[in-house]
Amino acid sequence: MTQFSKITWLKTSSLFFAFCLLTTFAKAQTTTGTLNDLSFLEGHWKGTYNGGPIEAGWTAPEGSNIMGYIRMIKDDKPALYEVFAFEQGEKGPIARVKHFKPGLIALEEKAVSDTYNFIEAKKNQALFEKDDVSVRIIYERRSQNQLVIQRGKMEDNKWVFMDLFVFNRVP
């Protein structure tokens, strides 16, 4: 092989290698999620929060959505209701949440909901980020009978998560 051929071969090989790396990186960055990534939420769950019982339930994925609710009780009275709609978006599920006081009095305006965008999913875990990037939420089924919702906030340029709600499956 001549010196010119070796240089041409090295350049071609380097370009091919770089192309392969970029293609792999691009695929990793464009991974999208589906509602099936959240199917671990399905079921009826109970726990305690703020000194009272808390209850949650989520449907199985169907019709491009998952519906859910959380009901909080304090001093044997309703304290807060949260209604969830996970809808399939282009990049993954979008979580929309509305909060209600007793009497179904909405805390958000009529046409407004808190919106959380899908970031990634692992087995029995999904990570979302609020539209304003102020909060991240992890939904995680830690065992067959335990579901945890963690809330994350930015501290010292890194996300720090704490358990917000810990639920046990209701048989």
Side-chain angles (χ1 to χ4, degrees):
M1 211 187 265
T2 67
Q3 185 68 18
F4 179 76
S5 296
K6 286 180 184 177
I7 292 172
T8 304
W9 183 84
L10 281 172
K11 285 182 180 178
T12 304
S13 297
S14 297
L15 286 172
F16 178 74
F17 181 71
F19 175 76
C20 289
L21 280 177
L22 286 172
T23 304
T24 302
F25 181 73
K27 285 181 184 175
Q29 295 301 307
T30 60
T31 301
T32 59
T34 69
L35 291 169
N36 286 333
D37 292 324
L38 300 172
S39 62
F40 65 86
L41 289 172
E42 182 182 359
H44 185 195
W45 306 87
K46 285 192 175 183
T48 58
Y49 177 75
N50 201 22
I54 184 171
E55 180 179 17
W58 283 275
T59 64
E62 187 174 343
S64 297
N65 77 85
I66 294 174
M67 286 298 300
Y69 72 90
I70 294 179
R71 173 176 70 165
M72 298 177 198
I73 308 281
K74 181 76 173 174
D75 299 325
D76 211 27
K77 295 179 181 168
L80 185 72
Y81 306 110
E82 292 182 334
V83 177
F84 295 77
F86 290 96
E87 300 171 339
Q88 186 63 48
E90 285 183 25
K91 296 180 181 178
I94 299 168
R96 302 187 195 284
V97 184
K98 285 198 73 93
H99 301 84
F100 299 89
K101 295 189 294 186
L104 285 182
I105 299 167
L107 296 178
E108 293 88 10
E109 295 294 322
K110 183 178 179 178
V112 175
S113 62
D114 286 346
T115 302
Y116 296 81
N117 298 297
F118 175 82
I119 294 178
E120 67 178 3
K122 301 175 186 171
K123 182 176 170 65
N124 294 324
Q125 187 182 83
L127 174 63
F128 288 81
E129 184 173 71
K130 193 170 181 178
D131 262 350
D132 66 6
V133 192
S134 64
V135 174
R136 284 189 173 180
I137 301 291
I138 295 175
Y139 298 90
E140 178 182 19
R141 196 177 76 206
R142 291 188 179 158
S143 71
Q144 186 63 30
N145 294 312
Q146 186 182 62
L147 178 69
V148 177
I149 299 175
Q150 299 175 63
R151 181 184 178 128
K153 62 182 181 173
M154 186 65 76
E155 291 181 10
D156 298 324
N157 292 322
K158 66 179 181 176
W159 286 99
V160 177
F161 290 87
M162 294 182 61
D163 289 355
L164 180 62
F165 304 126
V166 177
F167 298 102
N168 294 305
R169 186 180 296 279
V170 175

